[in-house]
Amino acid sequence: MSKALLGCIADDFTGATDLANNLVRTGFRVVQTIGIPDGPLNADADAVVVSLKSRTIPAADAVTQSLAALAWLQSQGAGQIYFKYCSTFDSTAQGNIGPVTDALMDALGTDFTIACPAFPENARTIFKGYLFVGDELLHESGMRNHPLTPMTDSNLVRVLQAQTQRRVGLIDYCTVAQGADAITQRIAALKAAGVSMAVTDAVSNDDLRSMGPALAALPLITAGSGVAIGLTPAQRERSQGDAATLPAAQGLRAIVSGSCSTATNGQVAAFIASGGAAFAVNPMQLAQGEDVASNALAWSKEHLLAGPVLIYATAEPDAVRAVQAELGVERAGQLVEQALAAVTCGLVQQGVRQLIVAGGETSGACVQALDIKRLRIGPQIAPGVPWCHAPSPHAPQNGQYMEGLHLALKSGNFGASDFFITAFDVLK
Ligand code: ADP
């Protein structure tokens, strides 16, 4: 395995496919693993993306898992590490972005890294350290109502500084606009001034491309998926996005949604308005011990043959707050995730082979329940969301793999309002 391998650690599953997608489009040959593999990679790749579900777990657990991923990536020859988090910098005051970055820096023996969640193609831009979602500051966007990681401060220097003992600084737009040499000089100046992490402004793909050469010497990059656009695979000249050609799609179609983000609420509403068959999962019924997953699956059996079905817990902020007030944030999230994971397994048993899962945490729960180990990245549906293919929805049965599953893992705020209606067309 080449020393030039880019080793990526993603803190959720939708984020991992988002990063893998951008790397593929940039010309990397990418393997995405679900969790940390037991054995060697055994694949010809320029980048490996290890998908963790570590965004909202206790910080100490996130650190342990990330260090284990680092150790495995290093054993496979990774020369540079890319810690991928959400383009809306989803975290709590305790972490996990700061603690994981600290632990990776300590393990790598490095005294400097950047922090850049910018993803201009999805309207996430950073100016003077402030993160914008579309035309709104982060704290004014729907992210202020996120069920697990409400973001109430748009100043990323402040947000990150609250999560680390290291000094956090800024590479601001005046520098980024001058290009790679200016960024390199600014990094040297910040290091000399005792700064260890620098939030880095970017408002366009051109900015990300300027950044790339200046980041080549850093053992650790921390970023959203956007920064990948500026990187170059070390082993060869950049090719033109050679996304894998996936096997022909077959089987029934379904959408499972546990995201309560603004975009997902719009997508659920649009799907229902277009006449799509939809089943709402009620968290209070779950808390009362009702077997909602079985009810959902009995319902889906009746509707699957007629077209894609949607099973969703997606709800507007007021409804989510009411449920959380009754059940607590963590319990509400876990109950819904467990139910949707059970629904996902049942749908696959009913013959679903084209599946969209909406929500980062939700995707983690569903993909883990399906026991998928590896994903191939296929065509892009929307920025940040590719169709992927898992060789089998379950472990091999009688030594024979089943026909595999096409999966799209959609981060909450990605995709246009017709995403659930049009995404399956991309597989045709
Ligand atoms: P996103 O990608 O939009 O951030 P996630 O799946 O990461 O979506 O997070 C959404 C969280 O909200 C999950 O833990 C999910 O179980 C939880 N959730 C979903 N629906 C509801 C609901 N109706 N009430 C409370 N929590 C919910």
Side-chain angles (χ1 to χ4, degrees), residues 395-407:
Q397 295 181 343
N398 307 324
Q400 292 273 308
Y401 275 100
M402 291 165 68
E403 59 267 50
L405 177 69
H406 286 82
L407 254 185

Side-chain angles (χ1 to χ4, degrees), residues 146-148 258-261 283 313-315 320 323 332-333 336-337 359-362 411-412:
H146 192 279
L148 306 176
S259 159
C260 297
S261 296
T314 304
V320 173
V323 166
V336 172
E337 286 176 37
E361 298 295 326
T362 308
S411 176

Side-chain angles (χ1 to χ4, degrees), residues 118-327:
F119 190 3
E121 280 181 82
N122 262 331
R124 273 58 160 167
T125 55
I126 309 172
F127 186 71
K128 298 281 179 191
Y130 285 81
L131 179 57
F132 289 81
V133 178
D135 296 331
E136 295 173 315
L137 280 162
L138 174 67
H139 77 277
E140 294 169 352
S141 78
M143 278 306 297
R144 70 187 186 283
N145 296 316
H146 192 279
L148 306 176
T149 52
M151 298 302 289
T152 55
D153 187 355
S154 305
N155 183 314
L156 298 185
V157 175
R158 224 162 27 215
V159 172
L160 186 55
Q161 190 64 80
Q163 300 179 22
T164 177
Q165 300 289 323
R166 286 181 163 88
R167 266 187 70 199
V168 181
L170 176 67
I171 303 176
D172 85 353
Y173 195 68
C174 301
T175 300
V176 173
Q178 290 173 52
D181 290 346
I183 297 169
T184 303
Q185 283 167 25
R186 176 73 178 150
I187 289 175
L190 286 169
K191 280 166 78 166
V195 168
S196 303
M197 301 179 192
V199 172
T200 307
D201 283 355
V203 301
S204 68
N205 279 355
D206 285 343
D207 294 334
L208 298 172
R209 288 192 193 99
S210 304
M211 221 182 270
L215 305 180
L218 297 183
L220 175 68
I221 294 170
T222 87
S225 68
V227 165
I229 288 167
L231 305 183
T232 311
Q235 281 301 298
R236 58 189 187 138
E237 290 304 305
R238 182 181 300 218
S239 70
Q240 282 307 307
D242 53 352
T245 307
L246 301 185
Q250 50 193 341
L252 301 173
R253 298 166 164 182
I255 305 154
V256 172
S257 180
S259 159
C260 297
S261 296
T262 311
T264 310
N265 268 294
Q267 289 153 355
V268 166
F271 181 83
I272 294 170
S274 75
F279 182 101
V281 169
N282 179 341
M284 295 313 296
Q285 289 178 346
L286 290 171
Q288 286 151 13
E290 276 187 47
D291 191 354
V292 179
S294 294
N295 297 343
L297 289 167
W299 171 88
S300 63
K301 215 170 179 178
E302 301 294 316
H303 291 83
L304 265 171
L305 282 177
V309 300
L310 166 66
I311 296 176
Y312 68 102
T314 304
E316 296 286 351
D318 284 347
V320 173
R321 268 191 289 271
V323 166
Q324 289 179 334
E326 280 290 319
L327 306 178

Side-chain angles (χ1 to χ4, degrees), residues 7-22:
C8 309
I9 304 167
D11 71 351
D12 84 342
F13 287 27
T14 51
T17 54
D18 171 13
L19 175 60
N21 179 50
N22 276 353

